[in-house]
Amino acid sequence: MNKSKLLSLFLIGLASIIVLHAQKQKSFYPGKLWFDTDGKIINAHGGGILYHKGTYYWFGEHKGEHSNDALVGVTCYSSTNLYDWTFEQIALPVSDDKNSSITKGCIIERPKVIFNEKTGKFVMYFHLELKGQGYNAAHVGVAISDNAAGPYVLVKNGRVNAGIWPINIPDSQKKLNKKESDFKSWTPEWLRAMENGMFLRRDFKGGQMSRDMTLFVDDDSKAYHIYSSEDNATLQIAELTDDYLGYTGKYIRIFPAKYNEAPAIFKKDGVYWMITSGCTGWKPNEARMFSASSIFGTWSQHPNPCRGEDSELTFHSQSTYILHVQGKENLFVYMGDRWIPSNPIDGRYVWLPILFEDNKPVLKWMDRWSLNDFD
């Protein structure tokens, strides 16, 4: 048998193994290649999960081999067991219209979807950067659909809470007039001015910046948009209107001038927990963890929740979402991404169970784990 035939048989066999593995997966393998039920690599980066009527829907950024720009749109996969994922469709496709806010070549990051019981609509929020403007726009995009898997239609985009002060800013800070040009960047004086709302005031009229983000629906069905703002220096938490399509005007700043991004949040036993990362571009860093007894604070910081080797790099990942597994009251799953800017499509997913020690969340590396481990 010649070499070409041997190679063909090998490739066919390899493809069969991949498909078989994808269809029979019964464990999670953090950081390994993860295939859908068609044997194709799951392409849903910076994602989040919606659970609706017995099915999980995983939404994420479609990545190519050479660019982090949105050239396709937001993908949607479905699963009933969290192991085996079926590609549904491009839930929010980019547009060929050059005048569209989501025209091909824009930046779409960290899509999250929630369901509104009152309106029956599925609502998607995402970080949007307009084509050709780098990361200067710092918009939030809002899209809706009648179906969980989509397609979704963009209804608006822009900055957040224009002309509105956060509820936890002192009146004295509203009146300050120091500008960035008054300081040398990264000096103690500059950071103190940032903490005292220098960029908040700069963006007051036009609206607050919204970059890395997540959504959270509380027990009372109130929904919140949590996002990096003020050039990523400060996290903000904003309450959404009852239809989830806008803002009530009630929002707070937390940890100003501490530079947090990649927020992921969950609630257990009446306590809100949030995991974030520092700002080091595409490179991983040490996870940060915060807690509060109210969504509007006061928030307190805790040590890095990761334990063991590479814990200072969050196991080479960055948080994107925390999933509560249905039917398992105390099982929450950390979802993280390993970013590879040189080959974005090869970014791997790191899913790890959140353990609890002394009633505080802990992340430990596991080469392999399953939901049955937590029965």
Side-chain angles (χ1 to χ4, degrees):
M1 186 178 292
N2 61 40
K3 291 183 179 180
S4 61
K5 288 186 177 180
L6 281 172
L7 179 60
S8 296
L9 288 173
F10 171 77
L11 292 174
I12 292 172
L14 179 61
S16 298
I17 291 171
I18 289 173
V19 173
L20 186 63
H21 172 76
Q23 292 175 340
K24 292 188 176 182
Q25 183 165 316
K26 297 300 178 186
S27 296
F28 300 103
Y29 300 85
K32 300 296 183 182
L33 288 174
W34 198 348
F35 301 91
D36 67 17
T37 53
D38 291 325
K40 297 179 181 179
I41 292 175
I42 295 174
N43 198 333
H45 308 269
I49 290 183
L50 165 75
Y51 180 79
H52 185 72
K53 293 185 177 180
T55 299
Y56 296 93
Y57 296 90
W58 181 358
F59 299 88
E61 310 162 21
H62 183 282
K63 296 292 190 184
E65 294 182 356
H66 307 294
S67 174
N68 278 295
D69 292 346
L71 303 177
V72 176
V74 176
T75 54
C76 177
Y77 295 80
S78 66
S79 175
T80 57
N81 60 15
L82 291 175
Y83 302 119
D84 307 310
W85 292 92
T86 298
F87 176 70
E88 291 286 339
Q89 64 177 328
I90 302 301
L92 178 70
V94 295
S95 175
D96 291 326
D97 180 357
K98 294 182 179 180
N99 295 318
S100 170
S101 299
I102 55 170
T103 189
K104 185 176 182 179
C106 67
I107 295 174
I108 293 176
E109 295 181 339
R110 299 182 180 269
K112 305 293 185 290
V113 174
I114 52 179
F115 178 65
N116 191 291
E117 295 282 355
K118 292 182 179 179
T119 65
K121 299 289 186 181
F122 297 88
V123 183
M124 176 189 294
Y125 276 55
F126 54 92
H127 168 208
L128 172 65
E129 297 292 349
L130 304 178
K131 184 177 181 179
Q133 297 188 25
Y135 277 81
N136 291 324
H139 280 195
V140 60
V142 182
I144 61 172
S145 177
D146 293 324
N147 303 299
Y152 286 76
V153 177
L154 181 71
V155 292
K156 60 182 175 180
N157 64 277
R159 293 220 175 164
V160 181
N161 282 319
I164 300 173
W165 294 109
I167 62 175
N168 64 340
I169 186 173
D171 287 338
S172 59
Q173 291 184 8
K174 298 177 186 177
K175 300 174 183 178
L176 295 175
N177 57 9
K178 292 293 185 180
K179 299 178 181 179
E180 190 174 13
S181 58
D182 296 330
F183 303 94
K184 183 178 179 180
S185 297
W186 299 106
T187 61
E189 294 78 15
W190 182 82
L191 287 170
R192 188 158 49 249
M194 292 283 288
E195 184 176 356
N196 289 334
M198 180 168 62
F199 281 7
L200 174 78
R201 293 188 299 275
R202 177 198 67 186
D203 298 333
F204 178 74
K205 290 184 179 179
Q208 300 301 312
M209 304 174 85
S210 173
R211 290 180 176 161
D212 279 8
M213 55 136 288
T214 193
L215 295 176
F216 176 73
V217 180
D218 211 339
D219 302 329
D220 59 0
S221 296
K222 278 285 187 182
Y224 301 88
H225 178 208
I226 303 152
Y227 50 96
S228 296
S229 193
E230 303 173 34
D231 280 349
N232 290 353
T234 302
L235 288 171
Q236 295 184 1
I237 300 178
E239 184 181 72
L240 301 183
T241 52
D242 286 346
D243 61 6
Y244 300 169
L245 298 179
Y247 299 92
T248 66
K250 185 177 182 181
Y251 76 106
I252 60 169
R253 304 168 77 219
I254 59 174
F255 303 103
K258 297 299 188 290
Y259 283 90
N260 288 280
E261 61 182 12
I265 187 172
F266 72 104
K267 184 180 182 181
K268 182 179 184 295
D269 299 331
V271 178
Y272 300 85
W273 295 96
M274 181 159 54
I275 294 176
T276 73
S277 82
C279 298
T280 53
W282 297 105
K283 297 179 180 179
N285 55 61
E286 183 175 280
R288 302 170 179 182
M289 185 170 71
F290 311 94
S291 71
S293 58
S294 166
I295 191 75
F296 286 125
T298 303
W299 287 84
S300 301
Q301 185 167 3
H302 302 271
N304 178 8
C306 300
R307 303 285 185 271
E309 186 177 356
D310 291 330
S311 60
E312 77 282 2
L313 296 175
T314 318
F315 312 118
H316 299 275
S317 75
Q318 185 185 45
S319 49
T320 184
Y321 193 74
I322 294 173
L323 167 68
H324 181 206
V325 179
Q326 297 298 310
K328 295 181 182 289
E329 182 180 359
N330 294 315
L331 180 53
F332 300 85
V333 179
Y334 163 90
M335 293 171 54
D337 290 277
R338 286 182 174 174
W339 301 112
I340 305 179
S342 61
N343 187 17
I345 195 175
D346 191 37
R348 309 292 177 87
Y349 311 107
V350 174
W351 287 22
L352 292 169
I354 294 179
L355 310 175
F356 293 89
E357 294 180 358
D358 297 325
N359 294 319
K360 294 180 180 179
V362 171
L363 288 173
K364 297 180 179 180
W365 179 257
M366 298 181 184
D367 291 324
R368 174 182 178 180
W369 66 279
S370 79
L371 300 176
N372 292 334
D373 298 337
F374 297 88
D375 285 341

